[in-house]
Amino acid sequence: MTRKIENQNLIIASHNNGKVIEIRDLLSDYNVMISSSEDYGMKEPEENGSTFEENALIKATETSKFCGQVSLSDDSGLCVDALSGEPGIYSARWAGPEKDFLKASKTIEELLIKDGSKNYSAHFVCVLAVCWPDGESRVFKGKIYGDLTFPPQGKLGFGYDPIFIPKNYDITFGQMNPDVKHKISHRSIAFDLFSRELLVEKK
């Protein structure tokens, strides 16, 4: 029988407030309480994996051990086709210690211009890892494809949202109503898989 997460606290392994808020919104219909690893005074673990899956498991495992509770981590990033999939797992690191994603977005634009590329296709990846204190874990993955646009447009969302236009839409994630974004994003796809298997809806 599948192990369910119900009537308990779920620790989000992140210090990114925008990400924690989005996850809380995505899980609002389920019977769990949400807090973050930052609430417990935990420092962010070193993400030295070579894939989204490895980094997600590092964060969830370390957080679950530290807090002694079930932990959920989200490792996500933007993969630009013309840049051989970069920034990929280094998406947050491109933004630097100040989490300056406008600067990181400018770097992407400059690299595309330097390469003379007309290919602005890209995709977002989200990998969720769930870990229990006894070491059991699950992994779920979501992707969404689209194109980049410059300069950034919109002040909603976070990260690289203002430069990404999802396929079949004509506005960026940064311009999109959060309710709409939460139905189509890479994160919502991964969360749909996660919630179907492990969560119980509120009555």
PDB file of all heavy atoms in Angstrom, residues 6-39:
ATOM      1  N   GLU A   6      -0.616  12.682   5.379  1.00  0.00           N
ATOM      2  CA  GLU A   6      -1.913  13.228   5.767  1.00  0.00           C
ATOM      3  C   GLU A   6      -1.886  13.664   7.223  1.00  0.00           C
ATOM      4  O   GLU A   6      -1.299  13.007   8.080  1.00  0.00           O
ATOM      5  CB  GLU A   6      -3.006  12.174   5.570  1.00  0.00           C
ATOM      6  CG  GLU A   6      -4.404  12.659   5.888  1.00  0.00           C
ATOM      7  CD  GLU A   6      -5.460  11.597   5.681  1.00  0.00           C
ATOM      8  OE1 GLU A   6      -5.098  10.415   5.536  1.00  0.00           O
ATOM      9  OE2 GLU A   6      -6.658  11.949   5.686  1.00  0.00           O
ATOM     10  N   ASN A   7      -2.534  14.808   7.501  1.00  0.00           N
ATOM     11  CA  ASN A   7      -2.631  15.339   8.861  1.00  0.00           C
ATOM     12  C   ASN A   7      -1.256  15.473   9.521  1.00  0.00           C
ATOM     13  O   ASN A   7      -1.074  15.133  10.692  1.00  0.00           O
ATOM     14  CB  ASN A   7      -3.523  14.443   9.729  1.00  0.00           C
ATOM     15  CG  ASN A   7      -4.980  14.554   9.356  1.00  0.00           C
ATOM     16  OD1 ASN A   7      -5.484  15.632   9.048  1.00  0.00           O
ATOM     17  ND2 ASN A   7      -5.671  13.414   9.346  1.00  0.00           N
ATOM     18  N   GLN A   8      -0.292  15.970   8.765  1.00  0.00           N
ATOM     19  CA  GLN A   8       1.039  16.171   9.330  1.00  0.00           C
ATOM     20  C   GLN A   8       1.730  17.332   8.637  1.00  0.00           C
ATOM     21  O   GLN A   8       1.279  17.825   7.613  1.00  0.00           O
ATOM     22  CB  GLN A   8       1.889  14.903   9.206  1.00  0.00           C
ATOM     23  CG  GLN A   8       2.055  14.375   7.801  1.00  0.00           C
ATOM     24  CD  GLN A   8       2.760  13.047   7.760  1.00  0.00           C
ATOM     25  OE1 GLN A   8       3.946  12.952   8.078  1.00  0.00           O
ATOM     26  NE2 GLN A   8       2.043  11.992   7.400  1.00  0.00           N
ATOM     27  N   ASN A   9       2.838  17.746   9.241  1.00  0.00           N
ATOM     28  CA  ASN A   9       3.598  18.855   8.686  1.00  0.00           C
ATOM     29  C   ASN A   9       4.491  18.351   7.559  1.00  0.00           C
ATOM     30  O   ASN A   9       5.087  17.274   7.662  1.00  0.00           O
ATOM     31  CB  ASN A   9       4.445  19.486   9.796  1.00  0.00           C
ATOM     32  CG  ASN A   9       4.902  20.885   9.457  1.00  0.00           C
ATOM     33  OD1 ASN A   9       4.259  21.590   8.694  1.00  0.00           O
ATOM     34  ND2 ASN A   9       6.026  21.294  10.025  1.00  0.00           N
ATOM     35  N   LEU A  10       4.576  19.114   6.500  1.00  0.00           N
ATOM     36  CA  LEU A  10       5.453  18.803   5.377  1.00  0.00           C
ATOM     37  C   LEU A  10       6.469  19.929   5.273  1.00  0.00           C
ATOM     38  O   LEU A  10       6.105  21.090   5.076  1.00  0.00           O
ATOM     39  CB  LEU A  10       4.636  18.684   4.091  1.00  0.00           C
ATOM     40  CG  LEU A  10       5.390  18.333   2.804  1.00  0.00           C
ATOM     41  CD1 LEU A  10       6.067  16.971   2.914  1.00  0.00           C
ATOM     42  CD2 LEU A  10       4.433  18.351   1.614  1.00  0.00           C
ATOM     43  N   ILE A  11       7.742  19.589   5.438  1.00  0.00           N
ATOM     44  CA  ILE A  11       8.795  20.603   5.423  1.00  0.00           C
ATOM     45  C   ILE A  11       9.293  20.809   3.995  1.00  0.00           C
ATOM     46  O   ILE A  11       9.768  19.870   3.356  1.00  0.00           O
ATOM     47  CB  ILE A  11       9.996  20.185   6.305  1.00  0.00           C
ATOM     48  CG1 ILE A  11       9.533  19.675   7.668  1.00  0.00           C
ATOM     49  CG2 ILE A  11      10.954  21.368   6.458  1.00  0.00           C
ATOM     50  CD1 ILE A  11       8.805  20.690   8.494  1.00  0.00           C
ATOM     51  N   ILE A  12       9.172  22.032   3.498  1.00  0.00           N
ATOM     52  CA  ILE A  12       9.673  22.356   2.169  1.00  0.00           C
ATOM     53  C   ILE A  12      11.156  22.694   2.280  1.00  0.00           C
ATOM     54  O   ILE A  12      11.534  23.618   3.001  1.00  0.00           O
ATOM     55  CB  ILE A  12       8.907  23.546   1.542  1.00  0.00           C
ATOM     56  CG1 ILE A  12       7.395  23.323   1.625  1.00  0.00           C
ATOM     57  CG2 ILE A  12       9.365  23.754   0.103  1.00  0.00           C
ATOM     58  CD1 ILE A  12       6.907  22.056   0.981  1.00  0.00           C
ATOM     59  N   ALA A  13      11.978  21.931   1.595  1.00  0.00           N
ATOM     60  CA  ALA A  13      13.429  22.095   1.690  1.00  0.00           C
ATOM     61  C   ALA A  13      13.885  23.238   0.781  1.00  0.00           C
ATOM     62  O   ALA A  13      14.472  23.029  -0.277  1.00  0.00           O
ATOM     63  CB  ALA A  13      14.119  20.791   1.299  1.00  0.00           C
ATOM     64  N   SER A  14      13.585  24.464   1.209  1.00  0.00           N
ATOM     65  CA  SER A  14      13.934  25.622   0.394  1.00  0.00           C
ATOM     66  C   SER A  14      14.009  26.881   1.246  1.00  0.00           C
ATOM     67  O   SER A  14      13.248  27.025   2.206  1.00  0.00           O
ATOM     68  CB  SER A  14      12.899  25.818  -0.720  1.00  0.00           C
ATOM     69  OG  SER A  14      13.203  26.971  -1.487  1.00  0.00           O
ATOM     70  N   HIS A  15      14.920  27.790   0.857  1.00  0.00           N
ATOM     71  CA  HIS A  15      14.992  29.127   1.448  1.00  0.00           C
ATOM     72  C   HIS A  15      14.459  30.162   0.463  1.00  0.00           C
ATOM     73  O   HIS A  15      14.570  31.361   0.696  1.00  0.00           O
ATOM     74  CB  HIS A  15      16.435  29.469   1.823  1.00  0.00           C
ATOM     75  CG  HIS A  15      16.930  28.744   3.046  1.00  0.00           C
ATOM     76  ND1 HIS A  15      16.880  27.381   3.175  1.00  0.00           N
ATOM     77  CD2 HIS A  15      17.476  29.217   4.200  1.00  0.00           C
ATOM     78  CE1 HIS A  15      17.401  27.031   4.346  1.00  0.00           C
ATOM     79  NE2 HIS A  15      17.760  28.128   4.982  1.00  0.00           N
ATOM     80  N   ASN A  16      13.906  29.693  -0.649  1.00  0.00           N
ATOM     81  CA  ASN A  16      13.354  30.573  -1.681  1.00  0.00           C
ATOM     82  C   ASN A  16      11.889  30.833  -1.336  1.00  0.00           C
ATOM     83  O   ASN A  16      11.037  29.971  -1.531  1.00  0.00           O
ATOM     84  CB  ASN A  16      13.482  29.903  -3.054  1.00  0.00           C
ATOM     85  CG  ASN A  16      12.992  30.774  -4.196  1.00  0.00           C
ATOM     86  OD1 ASN A  16      12.065  31.566  -4.040  1.00  0.00           O
ATOM     87  ND2 ASN A  16      13.600  30.615  -5.357  1.00  0.00           N
ATOM     88  N   ASN A  17      11.615  32.031  -0.825  1.00  0.00           N
ATOM     89  CA  ASN A  17      10.261  32.338  -0.366  1.00  0.00           C
ATOM     90  C   ASN A  17       9.226  32.254  -1.484  1.00  0.00           C
ATOM     91  O   ASN A  17       8.095  31.795  -1.274  1.00  0.00           O
ATOM     92  CB  ASN A  17      10.224  33.730   0.282  1.00  0.00           C
ATOM     93  CG  ASN A  17       8.914  33.990   0.999  1.00  0.00           C
ATOM     94  OD1 ASN A  17       8.486  33.193   1.829  1.00  0.00           O
ATOM     95  ND2 ASN A  17       8.272  35.102   0.699  1.00  0.00           N
ATOM     96  N   GLY A  18       9.600  32.690  -2.688  1.00  0.00           N
ATOM     97  CA  GLY A  18       8.679  32.614  -3.817  1.00  0.00           C
ATOM     98  C   GLY A  18       8.288  31.182  -4.119  1.00  0.00           C
ATOM     99  O   GLY A  18       7.120  30.880  -4.396  1.00  0.00           O
ATOM    100  N   LYS A  19       9.253  30.288  -4.045  1.00  0.00           N
ATOM    101  CA  LYS A  19       8.989  28.877  -4.306  1.00  0.00           C
ATOM    102  C   LYS A  19       8.099  28.287  -3.207  1.00  0.00           C
ATOM    103  O   LYS A  19       7.169  27.532  -3.497  1.00  0.00           O
ATOM    104  CB  LYS A  19      10.300  28.103  -4.387  1.00  0.00           C
ATOM    105  CG  LYS A  19      10.132  26.623  -4.705  1.00  0.00           C
ATOM    106  CD  LYS A  19      11.470  25.909  -4.797  1.00  0.00           C
ATOM    107  CE  LYS A  19      12.236  26.298  -6.034  1.00  0.00           C
ATOM    108  NZ  LYS A  19      13.467  25.468  -6.220  1.00  0.00           N
ATOM    109  N   VAL A  20       8.381  28.627  -1.955  1.00  0.00           N
ATOM    110  CA  VAL A  20       7.581  28.109  -0.836  1.00  0.00           C
ATOM    111  C   VAL A  20       6.130  28.577  -0.939  1.00  0.00           C
ATOM    112  O   VAL A  20       5.195  27.803  -0.732  1.00  0.00           O
ATOM    113  CB  VAL A  20       8.187  28.536   0.524  1.00  0.00           C
ATOM    114  CG1 VAL A  20       7.255  28.134   1.675  1.00  0.00           C
ATOM    115  CG2 VAL A  20       9.554  27.900   0.721  1.00  0.00           C
ATOM    116  N   ILE A  21       5.931  29.840  -1.301  1.00  0.00           N
ATOM    117  CA  ILE A  21       4.577  30.377  -1.466  1.00  0.00           C
ATOM    118  C   ILE A  21       3.846  29.644  -2.575  1.00  0.00           C
ATOM    119  O   ILE A  21       2.671  29.269  -2.432  1.00  0.00           O
ATOM    120  CB  ILE A  21       4.627  31.895  -1.765  1.00  0.00           C
ATOM    121  CG1 ILE A  21       5.074  32.667  -0.512  1.00  0.00           C
ATOM    122  CG2 ILE A  21       3.257  32.398  -2.236  1.00  0.00           C
ATOM    123  CD1 ILE A  21       5.340  34.136  -0.756  1.00  0.00           C
ATOM    124  N   GLU A  22       4.539  29.400  -3.699  1.00  0.00           N
ATOM    125  CA  GLU A  22       3.905  28.708  -4.819  1.00  0.00           C
ATOM    126  C   GLU A  22       3.542  27.274  -4.439  1.00  0.00           C
ATOM    127  O   GLU A  22       2.466  26.773  -4.787  1.00  0.00           O
ATOM    128  CB  GLU A  22       4.834  28.716  -6.035  1.00  0.00           C
ATOM    129  CG  GLU A  22       4.176  28.154  -7.280  1.00  0.00           C
ATOM    130  CD  GLU A  22       4.932  28.508  -8.558  1.00  0.00           C
ATOM    131  OE1 GLU A  22       5.209  29.709  -8.765  1.00  0.00           O
ATOM    132  OE2 GLU A  22       5.244  27.586  -9.321  1.00  0.00           O
ATOM    133  N   ILE A  23       4.430  26.606  -3.710  1.00  0.00           N
ATOM    134  CA  ILE A  23       4.143  25.238  -3.269  1.00  0.00           C
ATOM    135  C   ILE A  23       2.969  25.213  -2.304  1.00  0.00           C
ATOM    136  O   ILE A  23       2.092  24.345  -2.380  1.00  0.00           O
ATOM    137  CB  ILE A  23       5.399  24.607  -2.627  1.00  0.00           C
ATOM    138  CG1 ILE A  23       6.464  24.361  -3.695  1.00  0.00           C
ATOM    139  CG2 ILE A  23       5.046  23.294  -1.922  1.00  0.00           C
ATOM    140  CD1 ILE A  23       7.794  23.879  -3.152  1.00  0.00           C
ATOM    141  N   ARG A  24       2.934  26.185  -1.404  1.00  0.00           N
ATOM    142  CA  ARG A  24       1.803  26.262  -0.452  1.00  0.00           C
ATOM    143  C   ARG A  24       0.483  26.429  -1.211  1.00  0.00           C
ATOM    144  O   ARG A  24      -0.525  25.801  -0.871  1.00  0.00           O
ATOM    145  CB  ARG A  24       2.019  27.402   0.533  1.00  0.00           C
ATOM    146  CG  ARG A  24       0.915  27.515   1.594  1.00  0.00           C
ATOM    147  CD  ARG A  24       1.200  28.600   2.613  1.00  0.00           C
ATOM    148  NE  ARG A  24       2.170  28.166   3.599  1.00  0.00           N
ATOM    149  CZ  ARG A  24       3.388  28.670   3.752  1.00  0.00           C
ATOM    150  NH1 ARG A  24       3.811  29.636   2.941  1.00  0.00           N
ATOM    151  NH2 ARG A  24       4.212  28.226   4.686  1.00  0.00           N
ATOM    152  N   ASP A  25       0.493  27.252  -2.252  1.00  0.00           N
ATOM    153  CA  ASP A  25      -0.708  27.436  -3.074  1.00  0.00           C
ATOM    154  C   ASP A  25      -1.100  26.135  -3.771  1.00  0.00           C
ATOM    155  O   ASP A  25      -2.277  25.768  -3.826  1.00  0.00           O
ATOM    156  CB  ASP A  25      -0.483  28.533  -4.119  1.00  0.00           C
ATOM    157  CG  ASP A  25      -0.431  29.931  -3.511  1.00  0.00           C
ATOM    158  OD1 ASP A  25      -0.881  30.088  -2.357  1.00  0.00           O
ATOM    159  OD2 ASP A  25       0.062  30.850  -4.187  1.00  0.00           O
ATOM    160  N   LEU A  26      -0.101  25.433  -4.304  1.00  0.00           N
ATOM    161  CA  LEU A  26      -0.367  24.195  -5.025  1.00  0.00           C
ATOM    162  C   LEU A  26      -0.936  23.109  -4.112  1.00  0.00           C
ATOM    163  O   LEU A  26      -1.681  22.241  -4.564  1.00  0.00           O
ATOM    164  CB  LEU A  26       0.918  23.683  -5.689  1.00  0.00           C
ATOM    165  CG  LEU A  26       1.377  24.443  -6.939  1.00  0.00           C
ATOM    166  CD1 LEU A  26       2.820  24.097  -7.276  1.00  0.00           C
ATOM    167  CD2 LEU A  26       0.483  24.129  -8.123  1.00  0.00           C
ATOM    168  N   LEU A  27      -0.601  23.183  -2.824  1.00  0.00           N
ATOM    169  CA  LEU A  27      -1.039  22.152  -1.883  1.00  0.00           C
ATOM    170  C   LEU A  27      -2.200  22.595  -0.994  1.00  0.00           C
ATOM    171  O   LEU A  27      -2.553  21.913  -0.033  1.00  0.00           O
ATOM    172  CB  LEU A  27       0.143  21.729  -0.990  1.00  0.00           C
ATOM    173  CG  LEU A  27       1.329  21.094  -1.712  1.00  0.00           C
ATOM    174  CD1 LEU A  27       2.396  20.663  -0.715  1.00  0.00           C
ATOM    175  CD2 LEU A  27       0.887  19.904  -2.547  1.00  0.00           C
ATOM    176  N   SER A  28      -2.818  23.716  -1.344  1.00  0.00           N
ATOM    177  CA  SER A  28      -3.876  24.274  -0.488  1.00  0.00           C
ATOM    178  C   SER A  28      -5.104  23.374  -0.367  1.00  0.00           C
ATOM    179  O   SER A  28      -5.859  23.482   0.596  1.00  0.00           O
ATOM    180  CB  SER A  28      -4.292  25.659  -1.001  1.00  0.00           C
ATOM    181  OG  SER A  28      -4.815  25.564  -2.324  1.00  0.00           O
ATOM    182  N   ASP A  29      -5.318  22.488  -1.326  1.00  0.00           N
ATOM    183  CA  ASP A  29      -6.488  21.612  -1.288  1.00  0.00           C
ATOM    184  C   ASP A  29      -6.224  20.286  -0.586  1.00  0.00           C
ATOM    185  O   ASP A  29      -7.103  19.426  -0.525  1.00  0.00           O
ATOM    186  CB  ASP A  29      -6.983  21.317  -2.709  1.00  0.00           C
ATOM    187  CG  ASP A  29      -7.580  22.546  -3.378  1.00  0.00           C
ATOM    188  OD1 ASP A  29      -8.087  23.425  -2.655  1.00  0.00           O
ATOM    189  OD2 ASP A  29      -7.524  22.624  -4.625  1.00  0.00           O
ATOM    190  N   TYR A  30      -5.013  20.127  -0.051  1.00  0.00           N
ATOM    191  CA  TYR A  30      -4.655  18.845   0.550  1.00  0.00           C
ATOM    192  C   TYR A  30      -4.469  18.950   2.065  1.00  0.00           C
ATOM    193  O   TYR A  30      -4.173  20.020   2.598  1.00  0.00           O
ATOM    194  CB  TYR A  30      -3.392  18.292  -0.113  1.00  0.00           C
ATOM    195  CG  TYR A  30      -3.616  18.016  -1.586  1.00  0.00           C
ATOM    196  CD1 TYR A  30      -3.299  18.975  -2.546  1.00  0.00           C
ATOM    197  CD2 TYR A  30      -4.198  16.824  -2.003  1.00  0.00           C
ATOM    198  CE1 TYR A  30      -3.536  18.737  -3.894  1.00  0.00           C
ATOM    199  CE2 TYR A  30      -4.441  16.580  -3.352  1.00  0.00           C
ATOM    200  CZ  TYR A  30      -4.105  17.545  -4.288  1.00  0.00           C
ATOM    201  OH  TYR A  30      -4.352  17.309  -5.612  1.00  0.00           O
ATOM    202  N   ASN A  31      -4.613  17.833   2.703  1.00  0.00           N
ATOM    203  CA  ASN A  31      -4.641  17.784   4.167  1.00  0.00           C
ATOM    204  C   ASN A  31      -3.229  17.708   4.754  1.00  0.00           C
ATOM    205  O   ASN A  31      -2.847  16.717   5.396  1.00  0.00           O
ATOM    206  CB  ASN A  31      -5.477  16.571   4.606  1.00  0.00           C
ATOM    207  CG  ASN A  31      -5.987  16.723   6.016  1.00  0.00           C
ATOM    208  OD1 ASN A  31      -5.879  17.777   6.622  1.00  0.00           O
ATOM    209  ND2 ASN A  31      -6.526  15.646   6.553  1.00  0.00           N
ATOM    210  N   VAL A  32      -2.436  18.761   4.532  1.00  0.00           N
ATOM    211  CA  VAL A  32      -1.087  18.856   5.080  1.00  0.00           C
ATOM    212  C   VAL A  32      -0.840  20.288   5.550  1.00  0.00           C
ATOM    213  O   VAL A  32      -1.461  21.234   5.067  1.00  0.00           O
ATOM    214  CB  VAL A  32      -0.006  18.482   4.045  1.00  0.00           C
ATOM    215  CG1 VAL A  32      -0.049  16.999   3.730  1.00  0.00           C
ATOM    216  CG2 VAL A  32      -0.143  19.310   2.772  1.00  0.00           C
ATOM    217  N   MET A  33       0.063  20.422   6.513  1.00  0.00           N
ATOM    218  CA  MET A  33       0.521  21.729   6.965  1.00  0.00           C
ATOM    219  C   MET A  33       1.900  21.978   6.347  1.00  0.00           C
ATOM    220  O   MET A  33       2.704  21.042   6.240  1.00  0.00           O
ATOM    221  CB  MET A  33       0.612  21.788   8.493  1.00  0.00           C
ATOM    222  CG  MET A  33      -0.738  21.831   9.188  1.00  0.00           C
ATOM    223  SD  MET A  33      -1.602  20.235   9.196  1.00  0.00           S
ATOM    224  CE  MET A  33      -0.639  19.332  10.398  1.00  0.00           C
ATOM    225  N   ILE A  34       2.152  23.216   5.949  1.00  0.00           N
ATOM    226  CA  ILE A  34       3.388  23.537   5.239  1.00  0.00           C
ATOM    227  C   ILE A  34       4.282  24.456   6.058  1.00  0.00           C
ATOM    228  O   ILE A  34       3.837  25.460   6.618  1.00  0.00           O
ATOM    229  CB  ILE A  34       3.079  24.224   3.891  1.00  0.00           C
ATOM    230  CG1 ILE A  34       2.197  23.345   3.008  1.00  0.00           C
ATOM    231  CG2 ILE A  34       4.377  24.593   3.175  1.00  0.00           C
ATOM    232  CD1 ILE A  34       2.828  22.040   2.601  1.00  0.00           C
ATOM    233  N   SER A  35       5.552  24.111   6.137  1.00  0.00           N
ATOM    234  CA  SER A  35       6.569  25.012   6.679  1.00  0.00           C
ATOM    235  C   SER A  35       7.836  24.808   5.853  1.00  0.00           C
ATOM    236  O   SER A  35       7.884  23.920   4.995  1.00  0.00           O
ATOM    237  CB  SER A  35       6.831  24.737   8.162  1.00  0.00           C
ATOM    238  OG  SER A  35       7.183  23.390   8.370  1.00  0.00           O
ATOM    239  N   SER A  36       8.850  25.632   6.100  1.00  0.00           N
ATOM    240  CA  SER A  36      10.067  25.520   5.299  1.00  0.00           C
ATOM    241  C   SER A  36      11.264  25.189   6.179  1.00  0.00           C
ATOM    242  O   SER A  36      11.232  25.384   7.403  1.00  0.00           O
ATOM    243  CB  SER A  36      10.341  26.830   4.550  1.00  0.00           C
ATOM    244  OG  SER A  36      10.808  27.824   5.437  1.00  0.00           O
ATOM    245  N   SER A  37      12.324  24.710   5.555  1.00  0.00           N
ATOM    246  CA  SER A  37      13.540  24.390   6.309  1.00  0.00           C
ATOM    247  C   SER A  37      14.119  25.638   6.959  1.00  0.00           C
ATOM    248  O   SER A  37      14.741  25.560   8.026  1.00  0.00           O
ATOM    249  CB  SER A  37      14.571  23.749   5.375  1.00  0.00           C
ATOM    250  OG  SER A  37      14.813  24.557   4.243  1.00  0.00           O
ATOM    251  N   GLU A  38      13.882  26.792   6.354  1.00  0.00           N
ATOM    252  CA  GLU A  38      14.364  28.047   6.941  1.00  0.00           C
ATOM    253  C   GLU A  38      13.667  28.318   8.271  1.00  0.00           C
ATOM    254  O   GLU A  38      14.270  28.869   9.190  1.00  0.00           O
ATOM    255  CB  GLU A  38      14.135  29.198   5.970  1.00  0.00           C
ATOM    256  CG  GLU A  38      14.768  30.509   6.416  1.00  0.00           C
ATOM    257  CD  GLU A  38      14.672  31.583   5.353  1.00  0.00           C
ATOM    258  OE1 GLU A  38      13.735  31.547   4.540  1.00  0.00           O
ATOM    259  OE2 GLU A  38      15.541  32.470   5.359  1.00  0.00           O
ATOM    260  N   ASP A  39      12.401  27.911   8.394  1.00  0.00           N
ATOM    261  CA  ASP A  39      11.659  28.077   9.651  1.00  0.00           C
ATOM    262  C   ASP A  39      12.329  27.321  10.798  1.00  0.00           C
ATOM    263  O   ASP A  39      12.159  27.672  11.967  1.00  0.00           O
ATOM    264  CB  ASP A  39      10.218  27.569   9.513  1.00  0.00           C
ATOM    265  CG  ASP A  39       9.396  28.364   8.508  1.00  0.00           C
ATOM    266  OD1 ASP A  39       9.727  29.545   8.299  1.00  0.00           O
ATOM    267  OD2 ASP A  39       8.443  27.808   7.941  1.00  0.00           O
TER     268      ASP A  39
END
